[in-house]
Amino acid sequence: MTLDVHLFPCLSDNYGLLVRDRATGAVAAIDTPDADRILEELAALGWGPLGQVLNTHWHPDHTGGNEALKAATGCAIHGPEEVRRAAPLDHEIRDGDSVQVGDTRLDVIAAPGHTLGHVVFHDPEGRTAFVGDVLFTLGCGRLFEGTPEQMWASLSTLMTWPDETVIWCAHEYTAANARFALSVDDRPELRAHVEALRVRIDAGQPTVPTTLGDERRFNPFLTAGDAATFAHRRAAKDDFRG
């Protein structure tokens, strides 16, 4: 892995993510839920100046700090065109592009479903991915704009990566996701996995990052197998009150 990654809580259930290229010291923020928290964490870490913001999608809890961070640091803001709906954007990125954080190349991959313009950032060499609200520990994002078919295609793209890929997602939703997962799957292996996650939650520890291998085995949305089953499970999760 060529990046140092620092995760910290923001807002009510978001995570902030700061990354630093080990070779050059270049620093970027993955999304900007809270500019003040990001600047505080940068100062506490003693990392170099913030050079870039990498937005995954336009929602305000992911772009709300863009303007203040730009003013405070002069950072360059990269993201899909839809970010302009909510916040400043310097460089529009599309599927197939790449962004350099120092010597680390992050591939830009379109992942519509949660929003139509959502992208993820993938470091294939370091087997690391920053997935915003597409995939969560034992869950996936709500379909605010896209269709089940689009989201299933996005998740299927992620599932082509190696099991060792470290998945950094943007929210701590695991407790609720685990309850739903157990409602559709009663395998002993899943129950043991959920229990291990609950120990972390009860200790106040994050359940992020996860690995693609764990999600492929236990996440009810990745085990769906096809778009129709995924659509049924996503609708059931929206109505779930367990």
Side-chain angles (χ1 to χ4, degrees), residues 80-152:
E81 189 277 335
E82 68 174 19
V83 167
R84 292 194 172 97
R85 294 167 62 179
L89 179 67
D90 296 318
H91 303 287
E92 182 180 334
I93 54 177
R94 299 177 177 85
D95 184 55
D97 288 345
S98 63
V99 178
Q100 290 290 139
V101 180
D103 288 348
T104 301
R105 188 192 82 224
L106 296 176
D107 293 335
V108 178
I109 300 170
H114 182 66
T115 68
L116 292 178
H118 201 301
V119 300
V120 301
F121 298 97
H122 181 215
D123 171 11
E125 181 180 349
R127 296 192 173 184
T128 303
F130 304 95
V131 300
D133 286 359
V134 173
L135 181 65
F136 300 124
T137 305
L138 292 180
C140 75
R142 284 179 176 266
L143 306 183
F144 286 118
E145 297 176 5
T147 65
E149 292 75 18
Q150 286 175 313
M151 186 62 123
W152 177 248

Side-chain angles (χ1 to χ4, degrees), residues 176-242:
N177 288 343
R179 291 192 294 272
F180 176 74
L182 290 172
S183 77
V184 297
D185 183 349
D186 63 356
R187 286 178 295 156
E189 297 88 350
L190 174 60
R191 293 188 176 279
H193 182 63
V194 166
E195 182 57 33
L197 290 170
R198 283 177 174 158
V199 169
R200 290 164 62 182
I201 292 168
D202 290 346
Q205 299 172 351
T207 63
V208 177
T210 182
T211 66
L212 185 60
D214 279 348
E215 298 313 305
R216 201 195 307 273
R217 285 189 291 274
F218 301 122
N219 188 313
F221 299 109
L222 297 195
T223 62
D226 57 54
T229 304
F230 168 79
H232 174 77
R233 290 184 179 179
R234 183 61 261 182
K237 176 65 165 61
D238 291 345
D239 294 334
F240 186 69
R241 297 294 182 268

